[in-house]
Amino acid sequence: PPAGTATKGKRVLIAEDSLTGLHLIENSLRQAGYETVTAKDGEEAEQKIRSEKLDAVILDVVMPKKNGFQICRELRRDPNYQYLPIIFISSKSEVSDRLWGLKQGANEYLIKPFHIRDLVATVKKYVAD
Protein backbone atom coordinates (compact mmCIF):
# COMPACT_ATOMS: atom_id res chain seq x y z
CA PRO A 1 0.00 0.00 0.00
CA PRO A 2 1.12 3.60 -0.53
CA ALA A 3 2.93 5.31 2.34
CA GLY A 4 0.60 6.63 5.00
CA THR A 5 -2.22 4.14 4.42
CA ALA A 6 -2.81 1.36 6.90
CA THR A 7 -3.23 -2.17 5.66
CA LYS A 8 -6.81 -3.32 5.92
CA GLY A 9 -7.49 -4.50 9.45
CA LYS A 10 -9.14 -7.72 10.46
CA ARG A 11 -12.89 -7.36 10.98
CA VAL A 12 -14.68 -8.40 14.15
CA LEU A 13 -18.44 -8.32 14.73
CA ILE A 14 -19.54 -7.30 18.23
CA ALA A 15 -23.11 -8.30 19.11
CA GLU A 16 -24.05 -6.73 22.44
CA ASP A 17 -27.38 -5.17 23.48
CA SER A 18 -25.81 -2.94 26.15
CA LEU A 19 -24.62 0.23 24.40
CA THR A 20 -22.09 0.92 27.15
CA GLY A 21 -20.60 -2.55 26.77
CA LEU A 22 -20.72 -2.32 22.99
CA HIS A 23 -18.80 0.99 22.90
CA LEU A 24 -16.21 -0.22 25.41
CA ILE A 25 -15.47 -3.37 23.39
CA GLU A 26 -15.57 -1.51 20.07
CA ASN A 27 -13.11 1.17 21.23
CA SER A 28 -10.74 -1.40 22.73
CA LEU A 29 -10.68 -3.53 19.58
CA ARG A 30 -10.17 -0.48 17.37
CA GLN A 31 -7.23 0.60 19.53
CA ALA A 32 -5.81 -2.90 19.04
CA GLY A 33 -6.04 -2.39 15.27
CA TYR A 34 -9.25 -4.24 14.39
CA GLU A 35 -12.11 -2.97 12.27
CA THR A 36 -15.44 -3.47 13.99
CA VAL A 37 -18.99 -4.16 12.89
CA THR A 38 -21.70 -3.89 15.55
CA ALA A 39 -25.14 -5.36 16.19
CA LYS A 40 -27.61 -4.61 18.99
CA ASP A 41 -29.68 -7.79 18.79
CA GLY A 42 -29.47 -11.37 17.59
CA GLU A 43 -31.26 -10.89 14.28
CA GLU A 44 -29.07 -7.94 13.31
CA ALA A 45 -25.99 -9.93 14.31
CA GLU A 46 -26.97 -12.90 12.18
CA GLN A 47 -27.78 -10.72 9.17
CA LYS A 48 -24.40 -8.94 9.41
CA ILE A 49 -22.47 -12.19 9.93
CA ARG A 50 -24.00 -13.53 6.72
CA SER A 51 -23.51 -10.33 4.69
CA GLU A 52 -20.08 -9.05 5.82
CA LYS A 53 -16.64 -10.59 5.56
CA LEU A 54 -15.62 -11.18 9.17
CA ASP A 55 -12.58 -12.68 10.88
CA ALA A 56 -14.26 -13.28 14.26
CA VAL A 57 -17.52 -12.75 16.15
CA ILE A 58 -18.06 -11.63 19.74
CA LEU A 59 -21.57 -12.66 20.80
CA ASP A 60 -23.46 -11.69 23.92
CA VAL A 61 -25.48 -14.71 25.03
CA VAL A 62 -28.60 -12.85 26.24
CA MET A 63 -29.89 -10.53 23.49
CA PRO A 64 -33.27 -9.49 22.12
CA LYS A 65 -34.82 -11.36 19.17
CA LYS A 66 -32.31 -14.23 19.12
CA ASN A 67 -29.80 -15.36 21.72
CA GLY A 68 -26.13 -16.04 21.15
CA PHE A 69 -26.52 -19.79 21.65
CA GLN A 70 -29.08 -19.98 18.81
CA ILE A 71 -26.90 -17.93 16.46
CA CYS A 72 -23.81 -20.01 17.25
CA ARG A 73 -25.66 -23.30 16.64
CA GLU A 74 -26.99 -22.09 13.29
CA LEU A 75 -23.58 -20.84 12.17
CA ARG A 76 -21.89 -24.12 13.09
CA ARG A 77 -24.44 -26.03 10.95
CA ASP A 78 -23.49 -23.89 7.93
CA PRO A 79 -20.28 -25.06 6.15
CA ASN A 80 -19.41 -21.42 5.39
CA TYR A 81 -19.15 -20.57 9.10
CA GLN A 82 -17.87 -23.77 10.69
CA TYR A 83 -14.44 -22.26 11.32
CA LEU A 84 -15.39 -18.65 12.09
CA PRO A 85 -14.03 -17.88 15.59
CA ILE A 86 -16.94 -17.23 17.97
CA ILE A 87 -16.34 -15.73 21.41
CA PHE A 88 -19.26 -15.59 23.84
CA ILE A 89 -19.50 -12.85 26.44
CA SER A 90 -22.12 -13.34 29.11
CA SER A 91 -23.24 -12.51 32.60
CA LYS A 92 -24.43 -16.15 32.82
CA SER A 93 -21.60 -17.38 35.00
CA GLU A 94 -22.54 -20.93 35.95
CA VAL A 95 -20.16 -23.67 34.84
CA SER A 96 -23.13 -25.27 33.05
CA ASP A 97 -23.68 -22.05 31.02
CA ARG A 98 -20.04 -22.01 29.93
CA LEU A 99 -20.08 -25.71 29.02
CA TRP A 100 -23.34 -25.24 27.09
CA GLY A 101 -21.83 -22.29 25.20
CA LEU A 102 -18.78 -24.31 24.21
CA LYS A 103 -21.01 -27.24 23.27
CA GLN A 104 -22.90 -24.94 20.85
CA GLY A 105 -19.59 -24.49 19.05
CA ALA A 106 -18.09 -21.34 20.56
CA ASN A 107 -14.31 -21.10 20.72
CA GLU A 108 -14.34 -19.18 24.03
CA TYR A 109 -16.75 -18.11 26.76
CA LEU A 110 -15.87 -15.02 28.78
CA ILE A 111 -17.91 -14.08 31.85
CA LYS A 112 -18.93 -10.47 32.49
CA PRO A 113 -17.45 -8.43 33.96
CA PHE A 114 -14.22 -9.38 32.19
CA HIS A 115 -11.03 -7.39 31.76
CA ILE A 116 -11.09 -5.79 28.34
CA ARG A 117 -7.44 -6.78 27.83
CA ASP A 118 -8.49 -10.44 28.25
CA LEU A 119 -11.08 -10.03 25.51
CA VAL A 120 -8.55 -8.36 23.18
CA ALA A 121 -6.02 -11.14 23.92
CA THR A 122 -8.71 -13.75 23.18
CA VAL A 123 -9.52 -12.13 19.82
CA LYS A 124 -5.78 -11.99 18.99
CA LYS A 125 -5.51 -15.70 19.75
CA TYR A 126 -7.92 -16.45 16.86
CA VAL A 127 -7.30 -13.51 14.53
CA ALA A 128 -3.62 -13.15 13.69
CA ASP A 129 -2.45 -9.99 11.93
Side-chain angles (χ1 to χ4, degrees):
T5 62
T7 54
K8 195 153 170 54
K10 299 288 186 174
R11 304 187 79 209
V12 179
L13 175 103
I14 307 158
E16 163 65 88
D17 59 335
S18 150
L19 276 180
T20 313
L22 185 69
H23 291 308
L24 178 69
I25 296 166
E26 186 177 23
N27 292 336
S28 304
L29 287 177
R30 284 188 174 163
Q31 285 171 358
Y34 295 99
E35 286 182 29
T36 58
V37 178
T38 62
K40 290 179 238 17
D41 65 54
E43 282 179 7
E44 185 185 5
E46 194 167 41
Q47 180 264 314
K48 287 185 174 178
I49 289 165
R50 294 184 183 281
S51 65
E52 310 253 355
K53 187 186 173 329
L54 298 166
D55 296 291
V57 174
I58 296 169
L59 276 182
D60 188 4
V61 171
V62 181
M63 287 185 293
K65 298 186 181 170
K66 206 168 216 187
N67 72 46
F69 291 152
Q70 292 170 297
I71 295 166
C72 186
R73 258 196 316 272
E74 287 170 20
L75 290 173
R76 289 304 186 228
R77 278 193 215 117
D78 184 329
N80 296 316
Y81 301 100
Q82 283 177 337
Y83 302 107
L84 178 69
I86 297 174
I87 300 161
F88 276 134
I89 52 174
S90 181
S91 52
K92 292 170 76 75
S93 59
E94 297 295 319
V95 171
S96 59
D97 295 318
R98 184 174 183 279
L99 291 173
W100 183 246
L102 297 173
K103 192 176 165 112
Q104 303 316 299
N107 298 80
E108 301 278 347
Y109 188 105
L110 299 181
I111 294 164
K112 296 176 186 177
F114 48 78
H115 285 288
I116 203 73
R117 68 175 177 270
D118 293 340
L119 178 62
V120 172
T122 302
V123 171
K124 283 186 172 164
K125 183 168 143 185
Y126 294 97
V127 185
D129 294 337

